[in-house]
Amino acid sequence: MAESKIDVHAHFLSPTYHQAPTAHGYLHPDGMPAIPEWSIESHLAYMDANGIEKSILSVSSPGTNFTSNGSVNRHLTQESNDFAAMVKASLPSQFGYFASLPLPDCAGSVAEVQRVFEGPVKADGFALLSNTSGVYLGDPILRPVLAELDDRKAIVFVHPTSPCQHRNGGRFTTDRDGMTVTEQQIIEALRKQFWFDLAGNPVPNQVDALLKFTGKEQLLFGSDVPWTRFEAAGKMVEIVQRELPACVGRENLEMVYRANAERLLSP
């Protein structure tokens, strides 16, 4: 029987969101063949078949910023978050969620952080893309949003998306508020403040490399369903269950599969 797991990298598409990418010209986001189908029932069936006790849902790339109309983006963000909150409220033992933000709209994003945290069903954290319309997470214009999240000690789930050539030519800068951040400081921040999930079939080779950089205590289970189709994700679970013991030790499987996530998500 499969070990019990908490999936921190699982996605959903509300009925409204399912139509949004195509309506705004995103026919194959990030090279995906199509917008996947999703329902609560199909997700629960996948969880049951693969020993997943709980899934933390989020909107995947390309997020909720489809247009140049801030009002439209804010409305889609709110609708998606309200739908996820409804799913969590209906099945709190099986589902949690990371809320979306209408970045790079800072005012709208700060307002949405406040709305979600002060609503009846609190989000478990917030899902941010690696960049939105070319605005990367280190861009100074996002500081009010990041400060709001930091003040609330919010978990931030960083999801990859298609890269965009930055306005400064793609250079990686290490300047923060006029102070130079060293490579070692960046490495230490990553080791202490970042967690890594197993979506994308990284076992065994990438996990072996990652564990030279961070500890087993910061590994989490993830699947990327339904953007990774449920059937394909089930096969990846089989690979993880077969290969992961050699990477982390069989005695640490429960920690990676669920205990680390419980520790991270606990209030």
Side-chain angles (χ1 to χ4, degrees), residues 97-221:
Y97 80 103
F98 294 137
S100 296
L101 296 176
L103 293 174
D105 173 1
C106 286
S109 294
V110 169
E112 186 64 5
V113 171
Q114 296 168 348
R115 190 185 77 90
V116 168
F117 260 122
E118 294 165 9
V121 183
K122 185 178 178 181
D124 296 279
F126 291 83
L128 306 185
L129 299 180
S130 53
N131 85 84
T132 307
S133 302
V135 178
Y136 282 80
L137 296 180
D139 196 302
I141 72 169
L142 299 184
R143 286 176 183 170
V145 180
L146 299 181
E148 182 72 22
L149 293 170
D150 190 53
D151 287 345
R152 295 175 181 270
K153 295 180 171 53
I155 294 170
V156 172
F157 173 61
V158 179
H159 194 282
T161 188
S162 296
C164 181
Q165 187 71 6
H166 202 278
R167 292 184 297 273
N168 67 2
R171 293 185 297 107
F172 179 78
T173 62
T174 57
D175 182 79
R176 181 179 179 182
D177 295 331
M179 300 177 62
T180 298
V181 181
T182 67
E183 179 181 353
Q184 188 58 37
Q185 287 174 316
I186 293 172
I187 291 173
E188 287 304 311
L190 286 170
R191 284 177 171 167
K192 293 178 180 179
Q193 299 179 44
F194 279 68
W195 304 59
F196 304 87
D197 72 69
L198 299 177
N201 199 19
V203 179
N205 295 332
Q206 289 172 294
V207 168
D208 280 343
L210 179 63
L211 288 175
K212 292 179 173 62
F213 172 79
T214 190
K216 296 181 283 290
E217 299 80 7
Q218 286 162 268
L219 285 184
L220 306 165
F221 177 80

Side-chain angles (χ1 to χ4, degrees), residues 62-83:
T64 57
N65 184 51
F66 288 114
T67 78
S68 58
N69 187 321
S71 177
V72 171
N73 297 335
R74 291 183 187 190
H75 178 76
L76 181 60
T77 302
Q78 292 173 5
E79 189 279 335
S80 296
N81 289 340
D82 289 347
F83 182 89

